[in-house]
Amino acid sequence: MRMHKALFTALALSVGITVSAQTNEMVIQTKKLGAPIQSTMYGLFFEDINYGADGGLYAELVKNRSFEFPQNLMGWKTFGNVSLQEDGPFERNPHYVRLANPEHAHKRTGLENEGFFGVGVKQGEEYRFSVWARLPEGGKESKIRVELVKTNSMGEQHGFATQDVVINSTEWKKYQVILKPNITEPKSVLRIFLASNTTVDLEHVSLFPVDTWKGHENGLRKDLAQALADIKPGVFRFPGGCIVEGTDLETRYDWKKSVGPVENRPINENRWHYTFPHRFYPDYYQSYGMGFYEFFLLSKEIGAEPLPVLSCGLACQFQNNNMDAHVPTCELDSYIQDALDLIEFANGDVSTKWGKLRADMGHPESFNLKFIGIGNEQWGPEYPEHLEPFIKAIRKAYPDIKIIGSSGPDSEGKQFDYLWPEMKRLKADLVDEHFYRPEKWFLEQGARYDNYDRKGPKVFAGEYACHGKGKKWNHFNAALLEAAFMTGLERNADIVHMATYAPLFAHVEGWQWRPDMIWFDNLNCVRTVSYYVQQLFALNKGSHTLNLTMNNKNVTGAEGQNGLFASAVWEEADQTYIVKVANTSNNSQPITLNFSGLKKNNKLSNGVCIKLRSQDLDKDNTIENPDAIVPQESNVSIDGHIFNAELEPHTFTVYKFEKR
Ligand code: AHR
């Protein structure tokens, strides 16, 4: 049937005949607005995986800055007379280094930090080096030299961007100096050495670009944060994923350790350092430098609703389903208190304990938290048993906060079928569904939400990505199928209230999981086609759905629909109709958009077509070619209320028309 039509289309085109407009006529009912589209559509899910935080979005360039990794000098190389001490000024990070005179006057004492896959710096930019230091043996002053060092292809080293720092107190003090490299170098090392005769103690050695996102000192990489802002996300889910749960309860993400002075935030093991033996990164820890305060601030600055997720007292059930990895439900109090305190931290008045901490950190105003997730991919009866007391306590103290439960790690099947009714029973406000699935699944799920129960919790498509069969990397076709699937999210705006692709970030040299939405190295950022799909939906989400049908049926890629998926919305603010169409087939296809129900004097004008297309379905943007596939925008004209177009094979297209 499909071949038949393709042949006909090709033939028709070759003889210059316009293909029958009725072939794929999509009728958009303009008279009646459908469901309002939630402001939380479409969002972002952040997890510290693939060096997404430390070594990624968090702009710190020094690894193991507090000497607290289990091997205290991991990431550091020492020379001369360096010793590790453990009675430092920061209670949770007691280790520091002592630089004393080497035995021989001509020798040097110091250390070098390798950064995250090197220390990446740009010519002409400013970098703030800071260190806590003291003179432990008295004396008036001592000097350390700080420099960035490049190694050339012959193995020769040379320092650039050098500064001296004078240490002048026997008390611990913070010192800082600006380095301004005269070259761009993605893989330098940071060298610090004693430049005078007096012994010096050093703690919390840090190097940040001055030009961070919004200029914050404990800030974020500007290019990566900008990529997030450019999506205009509706919601920002953090801090994970599996890292919320931990491999064991000890290593779960503990938000209380991630706030307060950055020097005193302890490190946490990052489970992604060992999850996949073939992608093993023994130096991958969480510094908590980008903690909950920074997450809330970022959410605000990119205009997204913050959505923190907390442990429900169950460690990762994939990795560790032993009973000692579960808190007995009768001992959940401190976990529940963590959730209540978090709401106070985000929203509480400055007279409250946690509200005061937020104010002390620089944000006296409330962060206006509205949502909280409890548990990530939990399953089995343990999960509802653990969730229930959280729901009771949160409802009692904060009845307006919306609570998000989980349907487990699968998009269907036993756990999913068990958990959805449980979430209904517990009256969770939203249910977080996760699906990393192959092409076939995405092609078959266009109508997934069309028949969901409208009376229960709303849907949060919290983690999803098309994982091509045998092609678990970013490529155009995966992104196209995500777009096709997302037309179903859009059509079901009455029940789908949030959606976030996953994971967000990946360092090209340090990934554990792919595909991902944004790739980066030490100096560059790559927006993938999946990124552009998310962005096209988010920037064109509209205010209300509109009914769109072909042969009186939703366009969901079902049998007889020629691999087409489509949805339509109305944007009240600029009086625009927006139609999204994915052609997942191998065929070029004519379509007609018929805007039905418009009054005679209504005109549609200023037509715009934004298209994502690649002839090579396996291709995506790369560090070398970051703009290989980007949305192409052009003007299109519309005749009355009818628009005709030819959809090339494998394209995702957004059409916009203003109503006059
Ligand atoms: O996104 C990567 C992981 O996938 C998340 O941590 C987890 O929630 C899911 O299994």
Side-chain angles (χ1 to χ4, degrees):
M1 170 70 184
R2 224 176 247 189
M3 272 310 291
H4 216 145
K5 186 168 164 269
L7 256 179
F8 168 73
T9 307
L11 256 177
L13 285 174
S14 68
V15 292
I17 302 168
T18 311
V19 176
S20 161
Q22 276 123 46
T23 323
N24 290 306
E25 183 181 7
M26 298 183 188
V27 180
I28 298 117
Q29 300 293 346
T30 62
K31 257 194 179 160
K32 196 168 159 234
L33 295 185
I37 289 154
Q38 300 297 310
S39 60
T40 42
M41 296 290 284
Y42 295 77
L44 301 169
F45 160 56
F46 179 85
E47 173 161 29
D48 191 1
I49 184 173
N50 307 318
Y51 289 82
D54 292 285
L57 182 58
Y58 184 49
E60 173 64 88
L61 295 168
V62 176
K63 184 166 66 189
N64 190 14
R65 63 187 173 188
S66 293
F67 310 100
E68 296 298 336
F69 282 19
Q71 285 77 34
N72 296 80
L73 291 175
M74 199 177 222
W76 294 95
K77 240 195 239 165
T78 62
F79 46 92
N81 192 355
V82 177
S83 59
L84 185 74
Q85 311 287 321
E86 54 180 345
D87 58 348
F90 306 114
E91 193 194 340
R92 284 157 154 179
N93 292 322
H95 293 93
Y96 60 96
V97 288
R98 176 161 295 168
L99 273 53
N101 263 327
E103 280 155 24
H104 191 285
H106 295 294
K107 294 187 182 170
R108 294 269 173 221
T109 285
L111 68 172
E112 288 176 359
N113 190 272
E114 66 189 24
F116 299 90
F117 314 101
V119 176
V121 292
K122 289 186 180 161
Q123 181 179 21
E125 296 276 315
E126 295 187 328
Y127 294 84
R128 184 181 290 108
F129 169 85
S130 68
V131 64
W132 284 77
R134 68 168 179 180
L135 303 171
E137 292 165 355
K140 258 199 169 156
E141 60 177 47
S142 183
K143 219 192 288 177
I144 53 168
R145 185 153 301 160
V146 183
E147 63 184 8
L148 292 162
V149 178
K150 174 187 165 88
T151 307
N152 70 17
S153 52
M154 311 286 286
E156 295 156 350
Q157 294 195 328
H158 82 271
F160 60 101
T162 303
Q163 288 283 355
D164 285 350
V165 181
V166 176
I167 315 300
N168 58 10
S169 171
T170 52
E171 299 298 318
W172 284 104
K173 248 173 70 177
K174 185 174 176 179
Y175 297 83
Q176 50 185 47
V177 73
I178 300 293
L179 302 180
K180 201 165 177 180
N182 54 4
I183 57 170
T184 293
E185 174 52 47
K187 287 185 175 291
S188 63
V189 298
L190 175 69
R191 179 182 289 164
I192 304 158
F193 61 93
L194 209 50
S196 61
N197 290 332
T198 326
T199 301
V200 166
D201 287 343
L202 303 178
E203 161 66 313
H204 198 87
V205 183
S206 170
L207 183 71
F208 269 90
V210 171
D211 191 17
T212 55
W213 165 253
K214 303 281 179 196
H216 301 303
E217 274 202 19
N218 182 50
L220 310 182
R221 228 177 98 165
K222 201 175 177 181
D223 56 341
L224 300 184
Q226 188 62 52
L228 304 186
D230 287 348
I231 285 198
K232 293 208 188 328
V235 69
F236 186 70
R237 175 182 179 233
F238 58 87
C242 292
I243 66 164
V244 166
E245 307 159 16
T247 301
D248 41 45
L249 291 165
E250 192 48 39
T251 55
R252 75 185 191 278
Y253 195 103
D254 185 344
W255 78 265
K256 286 180 174 166
K257 292 180 180 160
S258 81
V259 293
V262 76
E263 296 85 353
N264 203 26
R265 300 184 195 171
I267 61 150
N268 191 24
E269 184 181 284
N270 189 323
R271 58 157 281 160
W272 295 111
H273 96 218
Y274 49 74
T275 301
F276 302 117
H278 59 291
R279 305 290 309 169
F280 179 47
Y281 293 92
D283 63 351
Y284 192 7
Y285 286 84
Q286 295 174 259
S287 69
Y288 278 149
M290 184 166 75
F292 265 42
Y293 177 84
E294 289 76 21
F295 282 126
F296 279 119
L297 195 61
L298 176 63
S299 306
K300 177 179 161 179
E301 289 173 345
I302 59 178
E305 295 292 348
L307 166 48
V309 185
L310 297 189
S311 159
C312 66
L314 297 170
C316 174
Q317 289 168 274
F318 280 115
Q319 281 204 316
N320 188 355
N321 214 4
N322 304 324
M323 281 320 285
D324 61 358
H326 301 176
V327 182
T329 43
C330 58
E331 291 171 22
L332 271 174
D333 286 1
S334 69
Y335 286 73
I336 295 171
Q337 195 57 47
D338 280 353
L340 299 175
D341 290 344
L342 176 66
I343 300 170
E344 185 177 292
F345 177 74
N347 294 355
D349 191 77
V350 296
S351 63
T352 62
K353 175 180 169 192
W354 293 101
K356 178 172 182 317
L357 176 60
R358 182 193 70 241
D360 291 348
M361 291 182 75
H363 202 279
E365 311 81 35
S366 154
F367 279 121
N368 199 12
L369 176 69
K370 299 187 185 111
F371 304 96
I372 191 166
I374 304 295
N376 177 44
E377 287 182 347
Q378 265 54 69
W379 67 70
E382 298 87 343
Y383 179 49
E385 277 163 25
H386 280 69
L387 181 60
E388 191 161 10
F390 279 87
I391 295 188
K392 277 195 183 136
I394 295 171
R395 294 263 188 258
K396 190 165 168 223
Y398 299 103
D400 294 336
I401 294 283
K402 297 218 180 313
I403 301 171
I404 296 163
S406 165
S407 59
D410 301 319
S411 50
E412 50 267 306
K414 201 170 143 220
Q415 295 301 343
F416 183 90
D417 293 343
Y418 165 70
L419 282 172
W420 252 102
E422 284 296 290
M423 293 304 111
K424 279 184 197 165
R425 178 180 70 78
L426 295 176
K427 298 197 171 51
D429 295 292
L430 289 104
V431 176
D432 178 9
E433 298 189 349
H434 293 180
F435 26 93
Y436 298 102
R437 292 288 184 265
E439 290 100 335
K440 187 169 177 292
W441 188 94
F442 275 82
L443 280 167
E444 288 169 357
Q445 295 286 317
R448 178 178 178 89
Y449 296 110
D450 293 1
N451 298 315
Y452 261 47
D453 179 2
R454 268 40 201 177
K455 296 202 191 89
K458 306 299 180 203
V459 173
F460 172 26
E463 291 186 31
Y464 65 92
C466 176
H467 281 200
K469 207 158 185 247
K471 286 187 198 167
K472 277 200 185 178
W473 61 80
N474 287 90
H475 59 288
F476 178 82
N477 199 42
L480 173 65
L481 300 189
E482 286 154 8
F485 171 78
M486 287 171 76
T487 59
L489 301 180
E490 182 166 280
R491 185 175 49 255
N492 288 284
D494 61 324
I495 182 153
V496 181
H497 282 196
M498 295 180 184
T500 56
Y501 177 95
L504 189 52
F505 284 122
H507 194 298
V508 290
E509 293 180 62
W511 59 270
Q512 297 84 46
W513 182 293
R514 55 183 189 172
D516 306 287
M517 201 160 99
I518 298 167
W519 287 80
F520 60 91
D521 65 10
N522 283 354
L523 300 177
N524 305 287
C525 163
V526 182
R527 302 174 183 201
T528 63
V529 184
S530 289
Y531 172 95
Y532 288 115
V533 165
Q534 295 295 320
Q535 191 185 44
L536 284 173
F537 272 88
L539 299 186
N540 299 291
K541 69 181 174 202
S543 56
H544 295 83
T545 58
L546 291 173
N547 183 277
L548 177 152
T549 52
M550 197 164 88
N551 301 323
N552 292 320
K553 288 191 189 121
N554 292 335
V555 187
T556 63
E559 186 74 16
Q561 294 188 327
N562 306 326
L564 294 172
F565 295 73
S567 56
V569 294
W570 163 248
E571 176 50 68
E572 185 70 32
D574 50 17
Q575 301 281 294
T576 303
Y577 294 107
I578 306 172
V579 179
K580 303 184 182 77
V581 192
N583 177 8
T584 64
S585 77
N586 294 328
N587 307 322
S588 180
Q589 302 196 51
I591 58 157
T592 294
L593 303 181
N594 177 351
F595 292 86
S596 153
L598 284 170
K599 292 195 186 117
K600 270 210 173 124
N601 58 346
N602 282 147
K603 288 228 169 330
L604 295 184
S605 62
N606 291 345
V608 170
C609 158
I610 312 170
K611 194 185 295 178
L612 266 174
R613 175 153 201 251
S614 168
Q615 279 172 346
D616 181 348
L617 300 186
D618 284 350
K619 195 166 162 182
D620 210 307
N621 300 322
T622 58
I623 296 278
E624 296 70 34
N625 195 357
D627 297 325
I629 309 166
V630 295
Q632 303 291 337
E633 188 167 325
S634 58
N635 294 330
V636 290
S637 54
I638 181 164
D639 182 12
H641 305 159
I642 305 284
F643 174 73
N644 291 310
E646 186 70 23
L647 282 182
E648 291 147 314
H650 305 289
T651 43
F652 174 55
T653 313
V654 180
Y655 295 105
K656 299 163 78 163
F657 301 98
E658 272 176 36
K659 178 180 162 188
R660 289 274 166 92

